[in-house]
Amino acid sequence: MPAYVRADKCDGCNGRERVECVHICPNDLMKLDADGSDSGHELKAYNQEPEQCWECYCCVKVCPQNAVECRAYADFVPLGGSVQPLRDESKIVWTIRFRNGEKKRFKFPVRTTPDGSADPYGDEPEADLADLADHGQLFTANTHECDFSQFGAAVGVDDAGS
């Protein structure tokens, strides 16, 4: 079951700089319905294409109102159970509710760098877009040699191997 927003809990991140679930969804599925014309709930977020949802839990973890819910994976929540993460600046607490009513909580630290401060490329040089035309350079630049003669004409390689 894809992520869905409980309209009774969602406040559209009222008073916040951005709507958190809309900002974090890697597939751009979450949307804020400003006037209620799409979902029937004014100023509430909703999943505009549930069939495309990866169930990655990004929106579930980031929602400050715990308004986004998603199917619990069987590898950590037994059949009939539910899971709800609650995140703050320093930790995330996962609450597992079993079908017999028992609850268990697991607490983990979260990243320590401020949001948006990660530098994924570090000191790497700027990419040369001309290299994209050379498929031999794309992912394996200078990592290994390949004898293309084994592929012959099937891949457009002439007898000289070029």
Side-chain angles (χ1 to χ4, degrees), residues 94-112:
W94 293 83
T95 301
I96 312 269
R97 288 183 187 89
F98 297 90
R99 60 182 167 198
N100 66 1
E102 182 183 357
K103 288 184 186 178
K104 291 196 176 197
R105 289 189 170 89
F106 303 90
K107 182 170 75 170
F108 301 96
V110 295
R111 63 184 293 154
T112 56

Side-chain angles (χ1 to χ4, degrees), residues 128 130-143:
D128 182 2
D131 286 345
L132 294 177
D134 180 5
H135 298 282
Q137 294 286 325
L138 192 54
F139 295 110
T140 59
N142 302 322
T143 58

Side-chain angles (χ1 to χ4, degrees), residues 58-133:
C58 287
C59 58
V60 178
K61 291 186 286 188
V62 79
C63 181
Q65 300 298 324
N66 287 332
V68 185
E69 296 183 5
C70 194
R71 167 181 61 176
Y73 294 121
D75 56 350
F76 68 94
V77 177
L79 184 64
S82 67
V83 62
Q84 186 66 50
L86 181 59
R87 186 180 189 276
D88 67 19
E89 296 295 321
S90 64
K91 66 184 176 307
I92 185 165
V93 177
W94 293 83
T95 301
I96 312 269
R97 288 183 187 89
F98 297 90
R99 60 182 167 198
N100 66 1
E102 182 183 357
K103 288 184 186 178
K104 291 196 176 197
R105 289 189 170 89
F106 303 90
K107 182 170 75 170
F108 301 96
V110 295
R111 63 184 293 154
T112 56
T113 56
D115 187 26
S117 69
D119 183 10
Y121 302 109
D123 295 329
E124 293 292 320
E126 187 76 23
D128 182 2
L129 297 181
D131 286 345
L132 294 177

Side-chain angles (χ1 to χ4, degrees), residues 35-63:
D35 60 4
S37 61
D38 292 331
S39 68
H41 302 284
E42 186 177 346
L43 291 175
K44 308 285 183 179
Y46 70 101
N47 187 341
Q48 61 184 339
E49 293 187 65
E51 67 279 358
Q52 298 297 320
C53 182
W54 304 339
E55 298 177 23
C56 67
Y57 270 80
C58 287
C59 58
V60 178
K61 291 186 286 188
V62 79
C63 181

